[in-house]
Amino acid sequence: MERILKNRNVKRKVLVVDDEMINREILGNMLAGEYDVAFAKNGREALDILRQQGGTFSLILLDLLMPVMDGETVLKDVRSDPMLSDIPVIVMTQEKDAEVDSIKAGADDFIKKPYNMPEVILARCERIIDLYEKKTIIDSAESDPLTGLYSGDFFFEYIRQLSQYIDAQMDAVVIDIEHFHLINEIYGRNEGDRILKTIASIISKRIEDGSGIACRSIADTFYVFHNAMDDYNDLLDAMIEEMGSLSLSPGHIRLRLGICRNVEKSETCEQWFDHAKLACDGLRRDYTRQVAYYDKDLNDRQLYQARLIHDIDSSIENHDFVVFFQPKYKIQGDTPKLGSAEALIRWKHPQLGMISPGDFIPLFEGNGLVQKIDRFVWEEAASNVAKWKKEFGVSVPVSVNVSRIDIYDPELEDRLQDILDRNGLTTSDLLLEITESAYSDNASRLIEVIEHLRKKGFRIEMDDFGSGYSSLNMLTTIPIDVLKMDMKFVSNMLKDEKSLKLCELVMDISRFLDVPVVAEGVEEKAQLDKLKSMGCQIIQGYYFSKPLPAGEFEELIRKEL
Ligand code: C2E
Ligand code: MG
Ligand code: MG
């Protein structure tokens, strides 16, 4: 391969192997103008040089009769060594019989001694090199020079044609070596190549009965199109066993197999292997499995999520995200009174329609993008509160959700303060909801942040209380202003005794901490009455109102006033 990539103007390397110095000199002088010439005094030396510099030689000129190791042995060794076998060899001899024998043994041409026709010798060398390079180009289009398996392009062309004629169920298999670049770096490229060739030969042996075809796709990835098999763990085990023949312990080489079973004729060959690759990539960092099967539902979900991640910025820009407001009512008096609201994000995706935060918030929490959403919501919430203040002369405070990751933002405090300042608001206009599960994450960091925020005047509501695992001990150390009871207690409080007891427990804790409770998810009058009788002060739920667009919420304020 190295040779065909060489520029035409670059001098090819030729190895002259002859025990007689005079011959080496004559040939050297003849060739030096055209080629970069190296010399060896005998067969052993020649093999040493070749093994060190391997595929960089374009031609070997080989004397047959030499001490230490003769030319015939060199020829045999060269032809049986995959790293050297495609270097052309011209033998140099005086004996007629030897010429015929050496051609039979794999030489490409011969030159008669003594060397009295330099033009003929040069022409022969050039012709052989040229022939080999053309052949290598053709071979390399079809096959991978390192492993002898098909090349990627040819492989796909082949299975495209093949799959039109076969009715049998076929699997697309991707075999990948974990951390192969590290193997190359630690053990050297030659060792890496050896491993690749061994794996290729194991695969070749497996499919020589015609059960499949294979290629090396890129670097350390092999593709196999194979008759459907029940269990690929068997194949994996067999491969690991055979790899035991490598001097490296198989423990260093971890293979991963991704399989797309029973490929769909309606999809392209590339798609089959994309699916298998996806399954294979899913095994990265999963040390419990080495074989994975492509799962269409999972793929669809991943694609959907990738789409959401891709679209977040343009959607913020195009105002596809909208903030809704859900009222919270104070229920202590005879008639419930609007007290505040919670800002909740909605995504009106231009193609995918309305997407609920349950579908994208956990995804964006996982990759940090939720901060973009939160900051957008904080801004929107603040500007609306300011607008209502101006319009109605009263403040309807809004609670915004603060994600776990926001807690680690060193600029959180300044960011929030800046939003208030720009909108002419105070900390009593914007309340902060932090979900309970954040409290068990890194309690000391959270306490520090919350203490700072509270010192500034912000009020903190612990959201979804009861869903996480905060210990009672933590509750007494973490400063909070409001407990929001987890919605599932409320939904079930009239259905099962246990939920009711838990509601009562939350009420007890709130009395102990001396903070009010907001009950979320109240949908029925009976729930409201029960909660009121237990001492709950604030209610948020469909019973009063679903989350509303800003305009409708404004109407609600107007009515309430
Ligand atoms: P959350 O903060 O606990 O918000 C309350 C959720 O309960 C909202 O769901 C609300 O629509 C829903 N809900 C309120 N009353 C009822 C009711 O009576 N019945 C039922 N079945 N549901 C009710 P939503 O808007 O789908 O939001 C779900 C979660 O997504 C929120 O739970 C919050 O964790 C997250 N979320 C929403 N907006 C944001 C945001 O701007 N930032 C962050 N970080 N998270 C958000
Ligand atoms: Mg909330
Ligand atoms: Mg909640």
Side-chain angles (χ1 to χ4, degrees), residues 255-280:
L255 295 180
R256 286 190 299 243
L257 270 66
I259 298 111
C260 171
R261 282 183 185 286
N262 296 335
V263 297
E264 302 249 5
K265 288 277 166 72
S266 58
E267 293 180 320
T268 65
C269 322
E270 284 83 359
Q271 281 173 314
W272 304 337
F273 283 90
D274 284 348
H275 297 336
K277 183 86 174 56
L278 201 78
C280 193

Side-chain angles (χ1 to χ4, degrees), residues 2-3 6 12-14 50 52-59 87:
E2 238 159 309
R3 245 172 302 141
K6 259 194 182 169
R12 274 36 174 187
K13 272 170 79 178
V14 174
L50 286 168
Q52 270 165 31
Q53 305 175 36
T56 61
F57 282 98
S58 294
L59 178 65
I87 305 177

Side-chain angles (χ1 to χ4, degrees), residues 143-153 155-156 159 171-178 180 183-184 191-207 212-226 232 235-236 239 243 246 253-260 269 272-281 284 290 292:
S143 69
D144 167 31
L146 181 72
T147 62
L149 296 177
Y150 287 123
S151 67
D153 286 348
F155 173 79
F156 279 114
I159 59 174
D171 295 341
V173 185
V174 169
I175 302 172
D176 194 89
I177 309 168
E178 182 131 314
F180 184 68
I183 295 179
N184 264 338
E191 191 57 28
D193 284 355
R194 201 161 68 89
I195 292 169
L196 291 175
K197 283 194 219 170
T198 307
I199 292 172
S201 82
I202 295 172
I203 294 173
S204 301
K205 237 187 282 163
R206 280 258 149 185
I207 55 176
I213 61 169
C215 76
R216 183 164 74 110
S217 159
I218 38 154
D220 58 339
T221 309
F222 297 89
Y223 286 1
V224 188
F225 188 53
H226 202 277
Y232 281 86
L235 173 66
L236 177 73
M239 292 183 83
M243 281 192 332
L246 287 171
I253 308 158
R254 189 168 173 275
L255 295 180
R256 286 190 299 243
L257 270 66
I259 298 111
C260 171
C269 322
W272 304 337
F273 283 90
D274 284 348
H275 297 336
K277 183 86 174 56
L278 201 78
C280 193
D281 289 346
R284 258 175 242 266
Q290 278 172 267

Side-chain angles (χ1 to χ4, degrees), residues 422-440:
R422 276 190 282 108
N423 288 281
L425 301 180
T426 69
T427 48
S428 59
D429 295 314
L430 207 63
L431 313 188
L432 309 177
E433 293 192 9
I434 303 176
T435 183
E436 188 202 351
S437 54
Y439 289 70
S440 43

Side-chain angles (χ1 to χ4, degrees), residues 326 342 345-346 374 401 403 463-464 487 520 523 542:
Q326 187 176 33
E342 177 175 7
I345 188 84
R346 296 290 177 264
D374 287 347
N401 289 285
S403 303
D463 203 356
D464 310 320
M487 193 148 42
E520 281 189 279
E523 298 186 355
Y542 296 173

Side-chain angles (χ1 to χ4, degrees), residues 403-418:
S403 303
R404 203 175 307 211
I405 192 154
D406 296 318
I407 304 292
Y408 294 94
D409 175 6
E411 284 163 37
L412 174 67
E413 224 179 284
D414 293 343
R415 242 182 251 287
L416 288 166
Q417 188 61 54
D418 175 55

Side-chain angles (χ1 to χ4, degrees), residues 336-397:
K337 274 176 68 179
L338 174 67
S340 58
E342 177 175 7
L344 293 159
I345 188 84
R346 296 290 177 264
W347 192 350
K348 290 182 177 165
H349 193 285
Q351 284 88 37
L352 303 173
M354 193 67 137
I355 311 173
S356 115
D359 287 338
F360 61 87
I361 292 288
L363 171 69
F364 293 160
E365 274 174 343
N367 57 24
L369 288 174
V370 74
Q371 285 193 296
K372 295 192 184 203
I373 303 283
D374 287 347
R375 286 174 202 167
F376 168 77
V377 174
W378 302 342
E379 291 282 353
E380 289 288 299
S383 75
N384 276 289
V385 174
K387 184 171 169 232
W388 303 329
K389 241 182 170 172
K390 227 192 205 160
E391 227 164 293
F392 306 110
V394 292
S395 170
V396 182

